[in-house]
Amino acid sequence: AAPKVPGALVLVVAGLVASRLFELAGRGIETVGDVPRGLPTLAIPSLEVIFSNASEVAVAAVALVLIGFSQTAGDARTFAARHSYRIDVDQESVAQGAQGMSNLGAGLFQGMPVSTSLSASSLNDASGARTPVASLVTGVVVLLTLLILAPLFSDLPKPVLSALIVDAVIFGMMDVAEMRRLWRVKRVDFWIAIAAIVQVLSVGVLAGVVVGIVLSMAWLIYVSANPETPILGRQPGTSAFRSLERYPDGETYPGILVLRIDGDFFFCTTDTIEDRIRTAVLAADEPVHAVVIDFAGVNFIDSQGSANLGRMATLAEQAGISLRLARVSPPVIDVLRADGIVDQLGQDRFHPNVDLAVKADLTPTPTDS
């Protein structure tokens, strides 16, 4: 197969030729301008400047770390998914440390700061680069440019550079198909991505990163603090219990309320779960004499969750309601036992599955919901 035409290189050469032939600089088109030759020299920065602007330097350092790591990890995952290989995030972190040392050297020798580059990575990928040899070639070209070729780029129109970056980032990195998938699968993720993109375009990359992180964390906290607690019914002809909202043909039993907690039971969720159980009991068509809670979705419970469960057990006993728990995981059982909840409820109130828990309080005949 014929090798790919290096479009970026062709564009640069064409831009230089056009600039010389048509004297674009004299026609109001901005060019790169004078590019000095020579290697950088060692220069120790003024410590007074650093200490007098310590807060600005600290904020900038944190921002650079956030942007650098998020961009590096994001780019690595993108190209790994595109070319079906695995990345090691720990090694990416080590690379960030090496990048920091490189930037220390760049600061001492007045060089260009080192960082992940969306445009450079996309251009390399589009040009067929697959190994670190591409970076070595780039380094050699940079040295040749510093020593010999620098004046050649003085007439390069800046719109050509802009076109290269826009093409590399938008067409090389903007995953329109992924945005369509987010819209189809989870609208919240789509709108978080849109908010981050808008911030990047209107304010800057750092603002986009911060907005994306803050919105994602806020959504995570909201979802974690509001677990689903569906009411369950028996699948006809089986011992399985499923959500009545999704499977309305499930069988229910007079006076027995069966629920499932689809999330962890800790300080952020205890009040919400208790309110939902209380609401479900009060909204039942018939007086409830037994409540069965499926704990299969609870992988973690803290001291406040355990205390809340003990309070629920006390209220249920006072109301004459039998409270039973099914499919409680060993780590959760250990916490409940340490807090005395197992003794309070009684070992016979813990069941290996929902079916056995329901049968313990079963009235003779099930009814369709």
Side-chain angles (χ1 to χ4, degrees), residues 185-336:
V185 176
K186 198 70 175 178
R187 299 287 173 87
V188 172
D189 294 339
F190 173 84
W191 289 116
I192 289 175
I194 290 295
I197 291 172
V198 169
Q199 289 299 311
V200 168
L201 295 176
S202 60
V203 181
V205 175
L206 178 59
V209 171
V210 172
V211 167
I213 291 174
V214 170
L215 291 179
S216 297
M217 292 300 296
W219 175 244
L220 176 62
I221 292 172
Y222 173 79
V223 171
S224 299
N226 292 273
E228 296 290 333
T229 52
I231 298 175
L232 309 181
R234 185 193 299 274
Q235 181 180 358
T238 72
S239 61
F241 282 76
R242 306 182 300 182
S243 169
L244 286 174
E245 183 178 355
R246 290 181 177 272
Y247 303 96
D249 62 333
E251 298 173 344
T252 59
Y253 296 85
I256 300 180
L257 179 65
V258 185
L259 306 99
R260 184 180 68 236
I261 301 175
D262 290 339
D264 293 328
F265 202 51
F266 64 114
F267 69 94
C268 283
T269 64
T270 53
D271 291 338
T272 299
I273 292 173
E274 182 179 357
D275 290 342
R276 290 178 180 175
I277 294 175
R278 189 193 307 272
T279 300
V281 170
L282 296 176
D285 295 334
E286 299 183 27
V288 174
H289 64 79
V291 174
V292 175
I293 303 177
D294 184 358
F295 258 63
V298 180
N299 297 309
F300 169 77
I301 186 170
D302 66 355
S303 58
Q304 189 167 334
S306 177
N308 184 273
L309 186 60
R311 183 169 65 253
M312 290 168 57
T314 300
L315 294 174
E317 183 180 3
Q318 293 173 351
I321 296 175
S322 170
L323 177 63
R324 297 182 182 274
L325 308 182
R327 301 199 293 177
V328 185
S329 66
V332 175
I333 279 283
D334 291 341
V335 175
L336 297 180

Side-chain angles (χ1 to χ4, degrees), residues 53-67 206 210:
N53 299 277
S55 59
E56 290 84 353
V57 171
V59 171
V62 173
L64 289 172
V65 170
L66 286 175
I67 294 174
L206 178 59
V210 172

Side-chain angles (χ1 to χ4, degrees), residues 42-65:
L42 177 65
I44 305 298
S46 171
L47 295 180
E48 181 181 352
V49 173
I50 296 176
F51 290 132
S52 62
N53 299 277
S55 59
E56 290 84 353
V57 171
V59 171
V62 173
L64 289 172
V65 170

